[in-house]
Amino acid sequence: MSKWKRPRRSVLITLLVIGLPLLALSIAALASNARLFILTLMNGLTLAALYFLVASGFTLIFGLMRNVNLAHGSLFLLGGYIGYSVGDLTGSWFAALIAGFVSVALTGLLLQVFVFRYMDGQELRQTLVTIGLSIVLADIYMWIWGGDTYQFDPPEWTQFPMPMPIINAYPAFRLLVLLIAIVIGVGLWLFLNRTRIGAMIRAGVDDKRMLSASGVNVQRVFAVTFALGAGLAGAAGVIGGTALSIAPGEDVRYLLASLIVVIVGGMGSITGAVIGALLIGVAETMGMAYAPTYGVVFTFIIMVVVLALRPQGIMGKKA
């Protein structure tokens, strides 16, 4: 019983240490200017949803499979660029979303088959190779799409302000981003914890040889998982390009955000990715609104506090 209670206690202490100061600051901000606080909070939740969409794929690839893919931000940007090109050609936002997911999923499949399969367990080589890939891909993107900033037009049926109390209205598409993130989060959790394939993925990470001896094609399972994680990054590129924009340099931003979300939330945990994305997304927007000079520091303060109290992340397990 004591072994069961100790991790729960450390999670609770970590959440209280982070949550109580945030709650106190939120009450003060709400009392000072309720409209600004609610608007900033909604923007933070939208950014958190976008961070989760990117980090969910990173959680599968890095957190669960232990593949150090530092080209994940480049996959996000590739999905955004391809989605923009398809959307501009067809005039359909959903065609852009599907194109971003499928094209980057196929790219991820090729990466797993021709790169990561030959560097299994070699984290340093994976790190160096994927950094090199990200640099090469950034130059290729610049060559094809130039240095312009692109933004998608959201679907017509989301181009209206949603009535809300205190702030009067909020863009409907941003609320759709929240809904998409919730659906994907629940779907991923069910996929990993309630399906046979999810059980194979978790078993393969724990003991690849035993799973292979039971007759399962481990490489095929890992390739599908990598493709799914990459595809989620590509779809996030289209959604992020609609909610915000896509431009050179965004790959580094979202890679860093994904790393922080996974580290704070815990390696391989979908629930942890949700918590990490919420903390980082809301802290970043609150920082920009109330302390723009030091706004960037807040996310790193959260990461330092979590690592000091719970090194494996809020919902992570000890190795």
Side-chain angles (χ1 to χ4, degrees), residues 17-286:
V17 169
I18 296 174
L20 288 179
L22 290 177
L23 179 62
L25 292 173
S26 298
I27 293 173
L30 187 61
S32 175
N33 189 333
R35 187 176 187 279
L36 175 62
F37 174 77
I38 297 298
L39 184 61
T40 306
L41 179 62
M42 292 302 299
N43 289 338
L45 292 176
T46 304
L47 183 62
L50 183 56
Y51 280 168
F52 171 74
L53 290 174
V54 185
S56 59
F58 198 64
T59 297
L60 290 177
I61 295 171
F62 175 55
L64 190 62
M65 297 174 59
R66 301 296 191 267
N67 283 337
V68 186
N69 179 23
L70 295 188
H72 192 75
S74 300
L75 297 178
F76 166 86
L77 202 56
L78 177 62
Y81 279 137
I82 291 179
Y84 181 84
S85 298
V86 172
D88 188 52
L89 184 65
T90 63
S92 171
W93 185 84
F94 288 102
L97 183 65
I98 293 171
F101 177 86
V102 172
S103 60
V104 179
L106 291 174
T107 303
L109 181 63
L110 293 175
L111 277 175
Q112 206 283 328
V113 171
F114 294 106
V115 178
F116 284 96
R117 181 172 296 183
Y118 300 99
M119 298 187 299
D120 189 27
Q122 303 177 47
E123 289 82 4
L124 181 58
R125 286 187 64 192
Q126 292 174 0
T127 302
L128 294 175
V129 169
T130 52
I131 287 176
L133 279 173
S134 65
I135 294 172
V136 172
L137 288 173
D139 287 339
I140 293 174
Y141 299 161
M142 186 74 72
W143 171 49
I144 297 175
W145 287 283
D148 298 331
T149 299
Y150 296 93
Q151 187 169 22
F152 297 77
D153 291 326
E156 291 185 3
W157 53 274
T158 64
Q159 296 182 18
F160 68 93
M162 179 71 73
M164 292 189 69
I166 301 178
I167 60 174
N168 300 326
Y170 196 74
F173 180 78
R174 287 179 171 253
L175 296 176
L176 178 63
V177 173
L178 282 174
L179 180 61
I180 292 173
I182 292 171
V183 170
I184 289 179
V186 173
L188 278 177
W189 188 88
L190 292 174
F191 171 71
L192 291 174
N193 294 279
R194 293 292 185 269
T195 66
R196 185 169 178 267
I197 298 177
M200 288 180 184
I201 294 170
R202 289 182 284 112
V205 172
D206 293 335
D207 195 334
K208 186 184 300 184
R209 290 183 179 179
M210 183 63 70
L211 183 64
S212 180
S214 66
V216 176
N217 190 327
V218 177
Q219 295 299 338
R220 183 180 299 171
V221 171
F222 276 21
V224 171
T225 306
F226 200 105
L228 176 61
L232 288 172
V238 177
I239 296 171
T242 310
L244 300 172
S245 62
I246 53 171
E250 292 293 283
D251 51 342
V252 178
R253 173 191 174 185
Y254 283 98
L255 172 63
L256 181 60
S258 298
L259 277 169
I260 296 175
V261 166
V262 171
I263 291 171
V264 169
M267 299 274 283
S269 172
I270 297 299
T271 306
V274 173
I275 295 173
L278 284 172
L279 288 174
I280 300 306
V282 173
E284 187 173 320
T285 53
M286 289 292 179

